[in-house]
Amino acid sequence: MTHKYTNALIDETSPYLLQHAHNPVKWVAWSPEALTRAEKEHKLVLISIGYAACHWCHVMEHECFEDAKVAEVMNERFINIKVDREERPDVDQIYMDALQMMTGSGGWPLNIVALPDGRPFWGATYVKKDNWIQVLRQLSELHRNEPEKIEGYAENMVEGLQAVNLIETKKGSDRFALEGIEATVKDWSRYFDTKMGGYNRAPKFPMPVNLTFLLHYATARKDDGIMDYVNTTLTQMARGGIFDQVGGGFSRYSVDTKWHVPHFEKMLYDNGQLVSLYAQAYAATRNGLYRQTVEKSIAFVESELMADDFGFYSSLDADNLDENGRLEEGAYYVWKEAELKHLLGNRYPLFQEVFNINDYGHWEHGNHVLIRNASEESIAEKYSLEVEKLRGIIEESLHILKSERDQRNRPRLDNKILTSWNGLMLKGLLDAHRYLENEAYLDLALKNADFILKNLFREDGGLFHTRSKSASKRKSTPGGSGEDSKSESNGTNDRGSESGSSDRGSKSEKDGMAGSSDSVGINGYLEDYASVIEAFIALYEATFDETWLERAESLIHYCQVYFFDENSGMFFFTSKADHSLIRRTIETTDNVVPASNSIMAKNLFRLSHFFPETEYSTLALQMLKNVQHQFTKNAQGHVNWLQLALLMNRPFYEVAIIGDHFEQKAKELRSQYLPNSILAATEKESPLPLFKDRYTENNTLIYVCQQGACQLPVVQTAEALAQLRPNRMD
């Protein structure tokens, strides 16, 4: 296909950047050279940040960046830089903070105007064409005629950006107490929607880190109210339109209060974490709905987001081509009543009842989003059916709809492979294997781990943020583009979703990271190391191959060399080997993905129980103390930290199994919900301290220990569980 315009983004690998490669705007990718060029040409820098699944990014592209008149203004007066926020989260963090300081809110597209050295002084999200042209002209004239005003404002912004990211080492302070955690949860719970789950507002985000902590808290403290809230939320999400009832997998969020109408993009990071959450919830409750949700979510990821070499792609767009060839949000997922009647025949009356093909399930323009609001048992009783018979009819109906839906134009794919998100998905697969006892999930996890080792590791032992070589072939279904707000708790604004250009390509057009040749990977960020370390620890507990613990420790040591800040006792988001931006961010606020520092602190805590002779425990405790003053001010922004505080405030167990039958004993224990423990096992010999002097010939013994002090070894797993749950009545 020939294009009237082509800019420098044609040489990039990010699908989002490639979407803009044929704009008349002379875009360049983020680089120090782009800023140097702005300095030489005495131009302002226009930085536009988005991502491939971002609906309003597509809208602004179509209205502004594809327009020749707009491009003329931008090209004449600015150096125009396009950034994929998922590819460069370090850049996105800084300019999102700047936008929130300027306007009090944020979102994507994130548009910043900065001085040639990158210091920001103006920002906005989506802007209409006429307003965009007007504001760019005004800013350009201000820079030309009154540069001192811009200089002063930019300097104040930089001071503010540095101030909001200062972390102090809290010397001598006490660890956050259990009573404080309870008071924090009680205050936080005032915002819970106890009828439909989530928060008492719209839009509604799943926020898996919140529910993971609350599940742990409810079981640890025997808090029936919090447990009811967790179960309500998990049930309503799994029954709602936010979960794809036909094909599995969760969308980013729902626009309403009942989890019905999603913003239809599907992100790997959500689904990886939600697989973990539902697997843990299944272990804690044995609720069959949770098991089914895990199974269907993994099936979705395998089908839609997995490369041939077992790396996982980033997202599916909310938009796809409808039957008229127009990009439309959700067109792939919705159903009209007449269509359902035709496809399902005599199954339709029951299907209509189950999935609310009525006013409750209606979205707009005659389209229905499938949603359930009644239990299978109640519907089976109403129709005088056995529950298993009802389930069979439901599965038959959904299979028919999936076959029909597979004939539609598919949502566009962002085939970028991110290390951090692959780590989250790997951890999800391992939790699914652990709690659902499905060996196929372990097999897939090991294949993904092998992909990470071969494609995402640097020669010096560090990580790339993105795949360093385009090693895999893309699948043959159409793909290409998305938007969500990163946060429901930090004031950013997720604006919805629509269409962009229709010529962005298909999955079959590109190899690997959207390019057919080798491409240089971006250096890993702290989030990459944190999520991979967490997954590697889980891999050890799944396989008892100590190589995974060695790799986790090696990555910890790498982070201590390249990321650790001696002044704060925390880890920077970027390596000291990377080009310096306005600041080196220290990420501490948990969000839809936990903060990289909170994941690292939990990793250090868990590793300290495998390697008690290290300083890991001391470092984890200091990191917790540095942020715990924020818990009462902003609980929902520090939930992963709260779970670390809970782990440190209650008994934490090391379970060591040694002997010929270690695998069977481990399997029996591993399927139990025991978040306050680590599990180690070996047949005989091991250098791990947990096994020192504990092997007894012809016996398989289970040791339950706390900080290396062990109770008497037992043979039966039931006896070990009694030691792990001393106050529990099963």
Side-chain angles (χ1 to χ4, degrees):
M1 181 178 181
T2 59
H3 298 275
K4 186 175 181 180
Y5 305 102
T6 300
N7 57 50
L9 298 184
I10 196 65
D11 296 322
E12 296 299 313
T13 58
S14 158
Y16 177 68
L17 298 186
L18 287 169
Q19 287 167 16
H20 296 77
H22 298 295
N23 293 167
V25 177
K26 294 179 181 178
W27 295 114
V28 295
W30 177 272
S31 69
E33 291 75 20
L35 299 182
T36 300
R37 181 183 157 203
E39 189 77 50
K40 288 180 178 178
E41 297 182 15
H42 305 291
K43 288 184 177 180
L44 294 173
V45 178
L46 194 157
I47 304 160
S48 182
I49 304 172
Y51 57 102
C54 170
H55 167 77
W56 284 95
C57 299
H58 305 333
V59 177
M60 190 163 180
E61 180 193 6
H62 181 64
E63 293 181 359
C64 296
F65 306 146
E66 293 177 353
D67 186 277
K69 292 183 179 179
V70 174
E72 184 179 356
V73 175
M74 293 175 66
N75 295 337
E76 179 186 347
R77 304 183 183 216
F78 298 87
I79 298 300
N80 302 292
I81 300 176
K82 251 297 168 195
V83 178
D84 181 340
R85 77 167 178 99
E86 297 163 356
E87 189 176 67
R88 293 301 304 257
D90 56 332
V91 176
D92 179 66
Q93 287 174 343
I94 291 172
Y95 291 120
M96 181 60 73
D97 281 355
L99 182 65
Q100 290 176 324
M101 289 173 61
M102 294 175 197
T103 67
S105 63
W108 297 274
L110 167 56
N111 296 295
I112 291 288
V113 177
L115 291 171
D117 57 10
R119 288 179 294 160
F121 65 90
W122 181 90
T125 53
Y126 166 75
V127 182
K128 292 183 178 180
K129 172 184 171 180
D130 291 343
N131 293 340
W132 182 246
I133 292 174
Q134 181 180 11
V135 74
L136 292 186
R137 285 175 172 163
Q138 289 173 344
L139 293 172
S140 176
E141 290 301 317
L142 184 62
H143 179 242
R144 182 178 302 165
N145 298 323
E146 299 180 86
E148 68 283 353
K149 285 189 176 181
I150 291 178
E151 176 68 31
Y153 192 69
E155 188 57 35
N156 289 336
M157 283 298 305
V158 168
E159 291 176 4
L161 287 169
Q162 293 171 341
V164 298
N165 200 233
L166 287 177
I167 303 293
E168 296 180 0
T169 301
K170 305 293 184 181
K171 296 291 186 182
S173 57
D174 293 330
R175 183 184 63 206
F176 201 73
L178 192 58
E179 294 78 14
I181 299 173
E182 292 173 341
T184 299
V185 171
K186 183 178 180 180
D187 181 65
W188 179 26
S189 66
R190 294 183 296 124
Y191 303 99
F192 295 171
D193 182 345
T194 56
K195 181 179 179 181
M196 295 301 299
Y199 290 133
N200 240 324
R201 62 174 183 258
K204 283 195 171 180
F205 294 74
M207 302 301 288
V209 64
N210 294 10
L211 294 166
T212 298
F213 163 71
L214 291 171
L215 175 67
H216 182 185
Y217 176 86
T219 55
R221 305 306 295 157
K222 299 178 176 62
D223 190 320
D224 292 339
I226 294 298
M227 194 67 197
D228 286 345
Y229 168 75
V230 171
N231 280 317
T232 296
T233 304
L234 293 178
T235 299
Q236 296 295 347
M237 288 197 307
R239 289 178 176 175
I242 191 174
F243 183 71
D244 181 357
Q245 303 295 329
V246 173
F250 284 89
S251 294
R252 181 63 205 94
Y253 65 92
S254 70
V255 300
D256 58 274
T257 60
K258 64 182 184 181
W259 305 105
H260 179 212
V261 179
H263 186 27
F264 289 90
E265 82 275 21
K266 293 178 177 177
M267 315 297 291
L268 179 64
Y269 64 79
D270 282 318
N271 283 281
Q273 292 180 95
L274 287 165
V275 165
S276 287
L277 169 62
Y278 275 91
Q280 292 176 58
Y282 173 72
T285 66
R286 299 298 163 182
N287 185 327
L289 175 64
Y290 301 165
R291 182 186 188 100
Q292 182 185 64
T293 304
V294 170
E295 292 168 342
K296 293 184 73 170
S297 295
I298 293 176
F300 153 72
V301 171
E302 284 189 272
S303 173
E304 301 296 332
L305 293 180
M306 190 171 74
D308 290 347
D309 53 3
F310 304 102
F312 295 114
Y313 298 135
S314 295
S315 65
L316 285 183
D317 201 343
D319 302 347
N320 65 282
L321 297 174
D322 63 15
E323 64 272 16
N324 299 313
R326 295 174 303 191
L327 279 171
E328 181 181 344
E329 181 184 1
Y332 183 69
Y333 299 99
V334 299
W335 303 92
K336 295 189 183 296
E337 184 176 8
E339 182 181 21
L340 292 171
K341 286 180 177 178
H342 171 72
L343 291 168
L344 300 178
N346 59 11
R347 298 178 183 84
Y348 175 75
L350 186 60
F351 185 89
Q352 178 189 34
E353 179 83 19
V354 172
F355 290 104
N356 288 283
I357 311 305
N358 50 34
D359 289 345
Y360 188 80
H362 180 259
W363 174 30
E364 63 182 11
H365 310 309
N367 291 315
H368 291 78
V369 178
L370 304 184
I371 181 174
R372 304 174 70 166
N373 64 345
S375 68
E376 292 175 337
E377 290 75 14
S378 64
I379 294 175
E381 181 179 358
K382 179 177 179 179
Y383 282 83
S384 301
L385 291 172
E386 295 293 329
V387 172
E388 288 305 314
K389 177 67 173 176
L390 172 66
R391 288 174 180 165
I393 296 171
I394 292 172
E395 287 306 309
E396 289 173 5
S397 300
L398 292 175
H399 180 73
I400 290 169
L401 296 188
K402 188 172 189 309
S403 296
E404 175 67 19
R405 199 174 76 175
D406 285 344
Q407 306 307 309
R408 297 176 177 177
N409 293 310
R410 303 174 78 82
R412 299 173 296 177
L413 171 74
D414 184 339
N415 71 322
K416 181 171 68 267
I417 290 181
L418 298 172
T419 303
S420 54
W421 296 7
N422 272 256
L424 296 174
M425 190 66 230
L426 176 55
K427 177 62 162 54
L429 290 170
L430 291 164
D431 283 338
H433 161 256
R434 177 173 189 152
Y435 297 121
L436 275 62
E437 299 181 87
N438 186 327
E439 290 301 312
Y441 297 152
L442 177 58
D443 179 65
L444 182 56
L446 287 167
K447 289 175 178 175
N448 177 249
D450 185 61
F451 169 86
I452 291 173
L453 292 175
K454 290 178 177 177
N455 294 275
L456 298 172
F457 266 75
R458 295 162 49 92
E459 290 185 1
D460 68 352
L463 294 171
F464 289 108
H465 178 59
T466 58
R467 180 213 302 264
S468 59
K469 291 182 182 293
S470 51
S472 69
K473 298 287 185 181
R474 304 180 72 182
K475 300 176 184 178
S476 59
T477 50
S481 165
E483 154 194 3
D484 83 351
S485 169
K486 185 179 179 184
S487 168
E488 131 168 279
S489 61
N490 69 1
T492 60
N493 177 31
D494 187 329
R495 304 180 61 97
S497 182
E498 186 214 315
S499 63
S501 322
S502 60
D503 64 349
R504 296 197 174 90
S506 67
K507 283 174 76 175
S508 60
E509 288 179 356
K510 304 286 184 183
D511 269 355
M513 286 176 56
S516 59
S517 61
D518 292 351
S519 56
V520 177
I522 296 169
N523 282 348
Y525 302 109
L526 186 63
E527 65 179 24
D528 301 304
Y529 291 86
S531 67
V532 169
I533 291 167
E534 182 180 41
F536 281 3
I537 296 170
L539 261 172
Y540 168 73
E541 293 185 287
T543 65
F544 304 118
D545 178 351
E546 291 168 17
T547 304
W548 296 112
L549 282 182
E550 293 169 7
R551 287 174 174 140
E553 265 214 297
S554 177
L555 290 174
I556 288 283
H557 296 156
Y558 191 96
C559 289
Q560 288 177 311
V561 171
Y562 286 94
F563 291 84
F564 190 65
D565 177 29
E566 295 285 352
N567 293 326
S568 67
M570 308 295 279
F571 292 87
F572 287 116
F573 189 76
T574 54
S575 167
K576 69 180 183 182
D578 289 334
H579 183 266
S580 180
L581 302 179
I582 293 170
R583 71 175 189 216
R584 285 185 74 189
T585 299
I586 297 176
E587 184 186 48
T588 60
T589 303
D590 296 322
N591 222 305
V592 295
V593 176
S596 49
N597 267 290
S598 72
I599 302 175
M600 281 294 289
K602 286 174 68 175
N603 289 339
L604 289 163
F605 175 78
R606 294 184 70 83
L607 283 172
S608 74
H609 291 269
F610 287 107
F611 305 107
E613 72 283 1
T614 65
E615 77 283 8
Y616 297 155
S617 179
T618 301
L619 180 54
L621 178 59
Q622 185 60 60
M623 294 173 74
L624 176 67
K625 288 181 177 181
N626 289 347
V627 299
Q628 64 186 14
H629 64 284
Q630 296 287 344
F631 292 176
T632 54
K633 302 175 188 176
N634 181 15
Q636 65 180 334
H638 296 84
V639 180
N640 208 39
W641 292 105
L642 277 169
Q643 188 171 26
L644 176 59
L646 183 61
L647 290 169
M648 288 185 172
N649 272 285
R650 302 194 72 254
F652 191 90
Y653 300 100
E654 304 104 22
V655 182
I657 307 172
I658 185 166
D660 293 343
H661 303 292
F662 74 96
E663 290 179 334
Q664 181 58 38
K665 303 291 185 187
K667 183 178 180 182
E668 293 169 4
L669 284 175
R670 195 161 42 207
S671 63
Q672 303 297 310
Y673 180 65
L674 299 167
N676 58 327
S677 67
I678 59 165
L679 181 62
T682 188
E683 183 178 2
K684 187 175 180 180
E685 300 297 333
S686 170
L688 287 180
L690 287 170
F691 299 120
K692 186 177 181 180
D693 300 327
R694 285 178 180 157
Y695 174 69
T696 303
E697 193 170 357
N698 299 322
N699 276 318
T700 299
L701 299 177
I702 307 172
Y703 292 85
V704 176
C705 315
Q706 287 182 259
Q707 295 182 323
C710 301
Q711 301 181 51
L712 290 175
V714 296
V715 175
Q716 302 299 323
T717 53
E719 297 174 289
L721 285 170
Q723 294 178 354
L724 289 162
R725 298 165 172 165
N727 301 316
R728 175 168 167 170
M729 298 295 291
D730 287 314

